[in-house]
Amino acid sequence: MLNYKHLHYFHAVATHGTVAQAAERLHVTAQAISMQLQLLEEQLGEPLLRKKGRGLELTKAGKTVYRYAEQIFSLGNELEQAVRRGMFSETETLRVGISDMIPKVMAFRLLQPAREAGLAMRLICREGRFDDLMLDLTAHKIDLVISDKGLPTGGAIRGYTQLLGSSTLTVFGHPELCRAWPGGFPGRLKNVPFLLPGPDATIQSQLHSWLEEHNLKPIIVGEFDDDALLKSFARAGTGFIVAPTVLGEAVRSEYGLEAVGTIDAIVEHFYAISVERKERHPAVRRILEQAGALFQKEGEEGRVE
């Protein structure tokens, strides 16, 4: 019988490149991993890894074993998630991680389809930084992550990224700010007070470049990792902000802000990330199926010239 603990250690070494890094990741000694690898190679009758510089690389047999290991652990992850979310009970549970910079209105509207099961649906939401949520996802503490960025290709975390939708950005400001800085767009934004999303937001660098390209040089009076806090300061008239164009009506009605103009050069993307491959949580399926219609409908209503 194949020892799956040996296979797990082999997979970790193959993924991280060295025994030392795998040992640190798994919280075991390097000696323990080396012994398990030796036993696995003896059982299979083939060397699976060979030295390359300061690291290790897969042999031809190792590449084959690694592909099988990927499938085995992927299916094991799906089984564990199915049990955790209550597949065998009448109540449907979905655990979602939401990245800090995702607008709360956006998260609410994307998750609404999950509630179609009514009282038989239990929705558990956790908010946090992208890296922390990815760790929770791989540990099966959550079923899905909604973020403004997907998993990087070739990374240590294995998962599946699906685009939910995309939106241009619109600049918003308190009515008093808009009266204080009149004129055409984007020229009216020169030297204005501005509130920026934090460095974890994928649009921050693009927004900096766009402002520099138009020689606007705003005064950055605040930078926020939390989208709700950023909008609360904007509601108080602290500075102009950007928000997804698809949420234009919500930003105007909920925060009392006025739309100044739309930035076509910047497009923000929203993703759903999971570790599932075959089995799809029914609530996740509803979210994915209805996300496209949400962005199309609201995008048509939110644009400002």
Side-chain angles (χ1 to χ4, degrees), residues 44 54 67 84 119 124 162-163 170 185 198 203 225 246 253 271 282 292 298 300:
L44 296 176
R54 295 184 178 180
R67 286 196 296 270
R84 284 178 177 270
L119 295 178
I124 300 174
Q162 182 156 342
L163 179 66
T170 292
F185 182 82
I203 62 168
D225 288 332
V246 297
S253 61
Y271 300 93
E298 297 193 355
E300 293 171 353

Side-chain angles (χ1 to χ4, degrees), residues 103 167-172 203 227 231 241-248 251 268:
S167 174
T168 56
L169 297 181
T170 292
V171 178
F172 294 89
I203 62 168
D227 177 78
K231 287 187 173 65
I241 65 168
V242 293
T245 303
V246 297
L247 298 179
V251 173
E268 187 170 16

Side-chain angles (χ1 to χ4, degrees), residues 171-176 178-179 188 240 251-252 256-260:
V171 178
F172 294 89
H174 189 279
E176 292 183 4
C178 294
R179 287 193 292 271
R188 65 187 297 183
F240 288 91
V251 173
R252 286 188 286 265
L257 305 180
E258 293 182 3
V260 174

Side-chain angles (χ1 to χ4, degrees), residues 36-54:
Q36 303 291 349
L37 286 177
Q38 184 179 349
L39 290 172
L40 180 62
E41 289 180 331
E42 290 176 357
Q43 184 179 14
L44 296 176
E46 293 281 352
L48 304 179
L49 295 157
R50 58 173 170 250
K51 288 186 177 181
K52 182 181 181 181
R54 295 184 178 180

Side-chain angles (χ1 to χ4, degrees), residues 83-95:
V83 175
R84 284 178 177 270
R85 69 181 179 232
M87 175 178 281
F88 309 116
S89 65
E90 295 183 359
T91 301
E92 183 182 321
T93 302
L94 178 66
R95 297 171 174 85

Side-chain angles (χ1 to χ4, degrees), residues 93-167:
T93 302
L94 178 66
R95 297 171 174 85
V96 183
I98 303 169
S99 181
D100 286 333
M101 287 311 303
I102 295 294
K104 302 304 177 288
V105 175
M106 175 73 75
F108 169 71
R109 295 185 181 182
L110 287 172
L111 293 176
Q112 264 192 315
R115 296 287 315 144
E116 289 181 0
L119 295 178
M121 174 69 209
R122 183 184 182 193
L123 183 63
I124 300 174
C125 295
R126 299 285 184 265
E127 186 179 23
R129 295 170 64 89
F130 180 80
D131 291 342
D132 295 334
L133 293 176
M134 287 300 101
L135 292 176
D136 286 344
L137 184 67
T138 55
H140 317 302
K141 294 180 180 179
I142 51 181
D143 303 302
L144 184 75
V145 170
I146 293 178
S147 176
D148 59 349
K149 57 185 174 183
L151 280 174
T153 56
I157 296 177
R158 305 295 178 181
Y160 302 88
T161 301
Q162 182 156 342
L163 179 66
L164 293 172
S166 305
S167 174

